[in-house]
Amino acid sequence: MGILLSVFLPLSLAFIMFSLGLGLTVADFARVVARPKAFFAGAVSQIVVLPVVAFLLLQLFRLPPELAVGVMILSFCPGGVTSNIITKLAGGAVALSVTLTGVVSLLSVVTVPLLVAWAANHFMGQAAPDIDVTALALAMFAITAVPVAIGVALRHFAEGLADRIEAAVSRIALVLFVVIVIGALAANWSLFITNLVLLGPLLVVLNIVLLLLGLGIAKAMGLDHADGVAIAIETGVQNSTLGITVGSLIVEAATGLPPFSLPSGVYGITMYFVALPFIYLMRRRRG
């Protein structure tokens, strides 16, 4: 398990982020300026609404402090490749989804370390681990921002090559995501079962509330259905691989998955129980 957390997990996340960057173009980032209302709605939903909702739910679902911090870590994470795929399946605006994932992922290099340090101090007090915000930010930069930038650069300067490898890279990234979640839970199965009753209801409710809020915010801002679906999914489907990685970066577990990573690991499974019905409903509504 130590090799999984210290080597395989960061490298896999870096590859997943590279696959995200490979699907981005400079025009995607320009879309922030071209369609500011849709991007603003999605960014605020992800960066502000999501953590606030998670924090409020934690006042209702009493969790042990370390698991509460883990839930907040998950809420600080942006969407990922999975959210882009789910948006496509649900008939949402894929370009908006990819742009939000890319931009917010880059911003998370700054926001996540600061917010994680705050969450640990808030929920754990003096028992909180010492979090080196600078070291965490540098680690996140190396395994998220740099691979995304490499992917974007490859798409920009070698578009033909990017087109040829994109499908294969995306499939590998999806497999790595599944392996990480299943591997992390398999190695901590007893811990997963013990905490499922605590974490499962909260994570499912968080998922449902955020998807509905995302749709509501988009409707209130006068955006169309496709944009609303993209914003809802970007708000409600987080990058659980990043959450697992961040949890493992801030504290070294002697064996198994750190408690800070456990909510993200459980979420990697439970989110599909919410996302799949949502896809079905959105496709019916579109039809």
Side-chain angles (χ1 to χ4, degrees), residues 33-284:
V33 178
R35 299 185 62 195
K37 187 164 70 168
F39 177 82
F40 177 77
V44 170
S45 296
Q46 273 191 296
I47 298 171
V48 179
V49 175
L50 168 52
V52 169
V53 171
F55 182 81
L56 292 176
L57 286 178
L58 283 170
Q59 311 312 305
L60 301 175
F61 294 83
R62 294 294 181 177
L63 295 183
E66 289 181 327
L67 294 182
V69 174
V71 172
M72 291 308 299
I73 289 174
L74 175 66
S75 76
F76 300 145
C77 292
V81 176
T82 307
S83 67
N84 304 150
I85 295 171
I86 293 174
T87 297
K88 182 177 181 178
L89 293 174
V94 178
L96 174 61
S97 174
V98 172
T99 303
L100 281 167
T101 297
V103 174
V104 178
S105 291
L106 295 177
L107 291 176
S108 69
V109 173
V110 177
T111 60
V112 170
L114 293 172
L115 291 171
V116 168
W118 166 81
N121 288 326
H122 177 82
F123 287 100
M124 300 183 68
Q126 294 183 346
D130 292 327
I131 298 175
D132 188 333
V133 174
T134 302
L136 181 56
L138 289 174
M140 286 191 59
F141 180 78
I143 60 180
T144 60
V146 171
V148 168
I150 292 173
V152 173
L154 184 61
R155 164 69 58 187
H156 184 71
F157 293 108
E159 187 175 358
L161 174 61
D163 286 337
R164 288 195 297 274
I165 68 173
E166 184 177 9
V169 167
S170 296
R171 284 194 293 269
I172 294 171
L174 186 59
V175 169
L176 286 173
F177 165 75
V178 173
V179 168
I180 288 170
V181 173
I182 294 178
L185 291 179
N188 300 271
W189 187 250
S190 60
L191 191 61
F192 168 65
I193 294 299
T194 301
N195 290 284
L196 182 61
V197 176
L198 282 174
L199 288 170
L202 185 152
L203 294 174
V204 169
V205 170
L206 179 66
N207 234 171
I208 293 171
V209 170
L210 289 171
L211 288 170
L212 294 176
L213 279 175
L215 288 174
I217 290 170
K219 185 175 181 179
M221 295 192 68
L223 299 174
D224 62 26
H225 175 70
D227 284 345
V229 171
I231 290 169
I233 293 171
E234 286 297 312
T235 307
V237 177
Q238 279 65 62
N239 188 340
S240 58
T241 307
L242 178 59
I244 295 172
T245 306
V246 171
S248 67
L249 287 173
I250 64 176
V251 62
E252 293 184 5
T255 58
L257 200 67
F260 297 123
S261 298
L262 189 59
S264 293
V266 175
Y267 177 83
I269 301 296
T270 61
M271 71 174 181
Y272 289 107
F273 291 99
V274 178
L276 292 177
F278 183 80
I279 292 171
Y280 173 74
L281 291 173
M282 292 302 101
R283 289 178 70 91
R284 282 196 61 183

